[in-house]
Amino acid sequence: AYVFSVALGGPQQMKKPLAVLQTHFFPPRALYTMFERTTVQPEITMATNMLEGVWVPCSANAEVMKSCGSVNTTYIPYPYFDDDPALKLPPPNKEARTFLWIGRWEPRKAPDMLLKAFLCAFKPGEARLIMKIGPVPWERPYVVPESCLKQLLDLPSIRQHGWTPEAAEQDIEFVRGKLSPSEILDLHARSDVYVSASRGEGIDLPAFTAKLAGRRIVTTDSGGPRDFVGEGDVLVPTCGAVPAPQYEWLWGPGCTYADYRLVDLIVALQKARGATSKIEPVPVVNRAEYVGKKLVHWIEGLKV
């Protein structure tokens, strides 16, 4: 079997690789992919239906593919190994106070929404937010973290909560640069809750690591995380989709990603602050042993 792996771009980006996969390789041929948008164009599902299989790492991707006409998509969970160092981190504080987010500062991740929700949810001194910003900048127009924070602090509703530049400097930390795996684990060790305001995720690897580390998860229903959040976590519901014009160059025209209400994210943060309920561990179906068996069964079952 030949499995080709690539993130799922729009019809133009996928035209050549899918054509090469169909014409230059003997069956069985399959595609391993993931995506963050809420729809997939007909040209893509028509092309992938000519393959023997499509494999995606989250149930949300599988649902979208099938709703858009895919007849051969299979969901196989993202794996973890029993020696993953995140599993060995000490437990979070009994009373959750420190929130962590890791990601690229870009529209899809919606860190501006997270920052606003945090400032609306808490008063100075009630909680702390660490934002680890990815080292690769978003080169298209999008307000940078410090400017975003300054704009938010000028809002009357934020000022009424007591937020000032000095208070924000005490409770909000921007971390930049490329960190080592151990330094990333140190960030998880410093935090009690992992939070994401993302509008679309294929997996959400930082959230997955936080789950392995025994941290509570607060996340929008962005795709990937819905498969591994559980008891003690908070899943913010989506309410339809919104256009994603900043990603048309990558996803194609008319692309959309998930929408949600800011107030629901605010309530979720407040619910997690100080929560002491049991945190369910990462599901057993994500253990490498289980995932490996499922992957073998899928590959052996590809029809020629």
Side-chain angles (χ1 to χ4, degrees):
Y2 181 80
V3 181
F4 178 70
S5 177
V6 66
L8 196 69
Q12 281 301 112
Q13 283 80 4
M14 298 303 297
K15 185 176 181 180
K16 183 175 180 179
L18 288 177
V20 169
L21 187 56
Q22 291 168 17
T23 59
H24 287 61
F25 295 91
F26 293 108
R29 307 146 305 178
L31 176 70
Y32 171 46
T33 191
M34 70 180 74
F35 53 91
E36 298 88 13
R37 58 194 189 272
T38 57
T39 57
V40 173
Q41 294 88 343
E43 303 97 306
I44 292 177
T45 50
M46 286 176 61
T48 56
N49 280 344
M50 297 177 68
L51 304 174
E52 282 64 57
V54 177
W55 155 30
V56 292
C58 74
S59 62
N61 278 184
E63 290 169 9
V64 170
M65 288 292 289
K66 291 173 183 177
S67 69
C68 293
S70 174
V71 297
N72 57 359
T73 296
T74 298
Y75 157 53
I76 300 177
Y78 186 78
Y80 74 89
F81 293 83
D82 292 337
D83 61 353
D84 192 300
L87 293 166
K88 300 178 177 63
L89 284 187
N93 293 315
K94 207 168 220 183
E95 185 181 8
R97 275 197 82 253
T98 302
F99 295 80
L100 171 67
W101 171 76
I102 300 172
R104 189 185 195 186
W105 191 275
E106 63 173 298
R108 174 175 63 85
K109 300 283 188 179
D112 55 329
M113 289 281 283
L114 172 55
L115 200 50
K116 185 174 184 179
F118 179 82
L119 293 169
C120 291
F122 307 113
K123 295 179 180 179
E126 290 182 341
R128 180 168 173 75
L129 175 64
I130 303 171
M131 304 187 82
K132 168 60 185 79
I133 300 161
V136 180
W138 178 257
E139 296 178 352
R140 290 162 179 79
Y142 187 57
V143 63
V144 298
E146 288 78 8
S147 297
C148 178
L149 179 58
K150 185 177 184 302
Q151 291 174 10
L152 290 171
L153 292 174
D154 287 336
L155 296 176
S157 58
I158 301 297
R159 291 203 302 269
Q160 286 173 6
H161 272 233
W163 286 106
T164 63
E166 294 75 22
E169 187 176 353
Q170 290 292 319
D171 290 343
I172 299 173
E173 178 183 357
F174 295 131
V175 180
R176 282 186 167 82
K178 186 176 181 180
L179 302 187
S180 67
S182 62
E183 289 172 325
I184 290 292
L185 282 178
D186 288 342
L187 287 180
H188 285 288
R190 289 172 54 194
S191 68
D192 307 311
V193 180
Y194 186 84
V195 59
S196 171
S198 180
R199 296 187 180 280
E201 295 290 341
I203 302 173
D204 198 337
L205 290 174
F208 190 76
T209 299
K211 189 66 177 174
L212 291 175
R215 268 55 189 170
R216 196 178 306 277
I217 307 294
V218 173
T219 180
T220 51
D221 189 4
S222 54
R226 74 164 69 161
D227 295 322
F228 55 81
V229 295
E231 183 182 346
D233 300 319
V234 186
L235 190 65
V236 178
T238 57
C239 53
V242 291
Q246 307 97 327
Y247 294 88
E248 286 195 0
W249 62 276
L250 177 63
W251 297 343
C255 56
T256 59
Y257 43 31
D259 195 16
Y260 54 87
R261 299 193 309 160
L262 177 66
V263 64
D264 290 336
L265 181 57
I266 293 170
V267 170
L269 291 173
Q270 293 170 334
K271 183 177 180 180
R273 165 68 176 92
T276 57
S277 59
K278 178 184 175 183
I279 304 173
E280 189 175 3
V282 66
V284 68
V285 295
N286 291 93
R287 284 190 69 234
E289 179 184 3
Y290 175 88
V291 175
K293 291 177 180 177
K294 190 172 181 66
L295 182 57
V296 168
H297 179 76
W298 172 70
I299 290 176
E300 290 181 340
L302 294 175
K303 294 181 179 180
V304 178

